[in-house]
């Protein structure tokens, strides 16, 4: 079995992959971001600020859930783009829409499962936000619920980072089999996943200081690095001649 590559080596490979294709990667990220922004605006403007009736409230939340799933499938296309790049295959902006045009039932089903798991983790936070205040007698309950949601979200982050990558890579596995296989892959790699995420915190701070403009450069770099981590875990990357 090939030795695991260190974060520095994965980042070096990612920079090489992005060389000459950074502008294309930025265009793909911008496409997903703009579609997400403009698809959500009508509901946020028309329904998010005016809850005259319970029906409007229900419509608003249903719309938010449906849009979240559609955007999630769109983001799966972004993952496919980076998988193609890392595998030295042709990659193009149209990869973003791949999951809508090919086996869409599989990809929508896979993301609905992932979305449901994520919402379970966020449930304590939603309960605290809507029913408990960070003041008075309910402050302790609210803090406990926020903390529980943070812990559950962290567990989801470290247990299922490879799930959507597997759905896109292993057509021979069902979406549920991909879920269980993703948990198997994370064994022995949890610290690597955490380290990769932590290593980008400094860059994300700079993105905030640049009013988000820096994300155009950082997001493709992060996505390609994490994609190479996935390929390293599954044994698709070549062995390293010397450990960095």
């Amino acid at each position: 079995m090939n030795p695991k590559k260190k974060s520095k080596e994965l980042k070096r490979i990612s920079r090489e992959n992005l060389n000459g294709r950074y502008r294309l990667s930025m265009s793909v990220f911008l496409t997903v971001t703009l579609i997400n922004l403009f698809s959500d605006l009508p509901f946020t403007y028309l329904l998010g600020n005016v809850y005259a009736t319970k029906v409007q409230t229900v419509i608003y939340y249903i719309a938010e859930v449906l849009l979240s799933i559609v955007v999630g499938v769109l983001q799966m296309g972004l993952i496919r783009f980076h998988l193609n790049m890392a595998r030295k295959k042709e990659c193009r902006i149209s990869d973003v829409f791949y999951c809508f045009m090919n086996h869409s039932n599989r990809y929508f089903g896979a993301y609905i499962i992932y979305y449901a798991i994520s919402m379970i983790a966020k449930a304590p936070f939603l309960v605290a936000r809507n029913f408990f205040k960070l003041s008075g007698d309910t402050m302790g309950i609210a803090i406990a619920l926020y903390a529980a949601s943070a812990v559950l979200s962290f567990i989801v982050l470290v247990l299922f980072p490879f799930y959507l990558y597997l759905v896109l890579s292993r057509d021979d596995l069902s979406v549920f089999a991909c879920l269980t296989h993703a948990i198997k892959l994370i064994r022995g790699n949890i610290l690597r996943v955490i380290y990769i995420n932590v290593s980008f915190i400094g860059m994300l701070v700079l993105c905030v200081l640049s009013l988000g403009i820096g994300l155009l450069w950082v997001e493709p770099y992060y996505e390609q690095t994490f994609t190479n981590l996935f390929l390293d875990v599954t044994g698709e990357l070549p062995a390293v001649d010397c450990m960095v």
Side-chain angles (χ1 to χ4, degrees):
M1 185 176 180
N2 293 337
K4 295 179 180 178
K5 295 175 178 60
K6 292 186 177 181
S7 173
K8 187 180 295 185
E9 176 65 11
L10 292 174
K11 288 182 176 180
R12 182 192 64 78
I13 295 171
S14 299
R15 290 193 297 271
E16 289 182 356
N17 291 345
L18 286 165
N19 186 31
R21 292 188 285 187
Y22 227 117
R23 187 174 298 177
L24 177 61
S25 301
M26 292 164 67
S27 298
V28 169
F29 169 62
L30 194 59
T31 299
V32 173
T33 301
L34 291 177
I35 291 176
N36 182 19
L37 177 64
F38 287 109
S39 63
D40 190 53
L41 275 178
F43 296 97
T44 301
Y45 180 74
L46 296 175
L47 298 174
N49 300 317
V50 182
Y51 291 31
T53 66
K54 290 183 178 180
V55 173
Q56 285 180 317
T57 304
V58 171
I59 291 174
Y60 172 74
Y61 281 112
I62 290 176
E64 282 294 307
V65 169
L66 293 177
L67 282 173
S68 296
I69 292 171
V70 169
V71 172
V73 175
L74 200 66
Q75 290 172 335
M76 289 180 69
L78 187 147
I79 292 175
R80 175 180 169 80
F81 172 87
H82 281 281
L83 281 169
N84 285 340
M85 180 183 291
R87 288 168 173 156
K88 314 299 183 185
K89 296 182 179 180
E90 182 183 5
C91 49
R92 47 199 173 185
I93 294 179
S94 60
D95 286 338
V96 169
F97 306 103
Y98 175 85
C99 297
F100 292 92
M101 300 180 291
N102 301 271
H103 310 293
S104 58
N105 289 342
R106 171 181 173 85
Y107 299 124
F108 270 91
Y111 194 80
I112 287 171
I113 292 172
Y114 184 77
Y115 182 78
I117 293 172
S118 300
M119 289 306 297
I120 291 173
K122 294 177 182 176
F125 166 80
L126 296 174
V127 170
R129 187 183 68 178
N130 291 292
F131 299 104
F132 297 96
K133 298 180 179 179
L134 280 171
S135 61
D137 297 336
T138 62
M139 183 170 66
I141 298 175
I143 292 174
L145 288 171
Y146 284 132
S149 190
V151 171
L152 289 173
S153 297
F154 178 77
I155 291 173
V156 171
L157 175 69
V158 299
L159 280 185
F160 303 105
F162 300 136
Y163 170 55
L164 297 178
Y165 290 83
L166 281 169
V167 171
L168 288 159
S169 302
R170 297 289 303 272
D171 292 336
D172 58 314
L173 297 177
S174 69
V175 293
F176 289 105
C178 287
L179 196 66
T180 56
H181 192 54
I183 296 176
K184 293 179 181 178
L185 285 180
I186 201 62
R187 294 173 185 170
N189 292 292
I190 290 179
L191 292 180
R192 300 181 74 198
V193 170
I194 294 174
Y195 183 80
I196 287 288
N197 283 282
V198 170
S199 70
F200 278 90
I201 290 178
M203 293 185 189
L204 291 176
V205 171
L206 293 177
C207 290
V208 173
L209 295 177
S210 68
L211 302 180
I213 296 175
L215 277 174
L216 288 172
W217 286 268
V218 174
E219 194 279 343
Y221 186 23
Y222 170 81
E223 289 291 346
Q224 187 60 201
T225 301
F226 204 87
T227 299
N228 280 308
L229 173 63
F230 167 73
L231 295 181
D232 185 43
V233 169
T234 55
E236 292 188 54
L237 283 181
V240 183
D241 294 332
C242 58
M243 300 302 292
V244 180

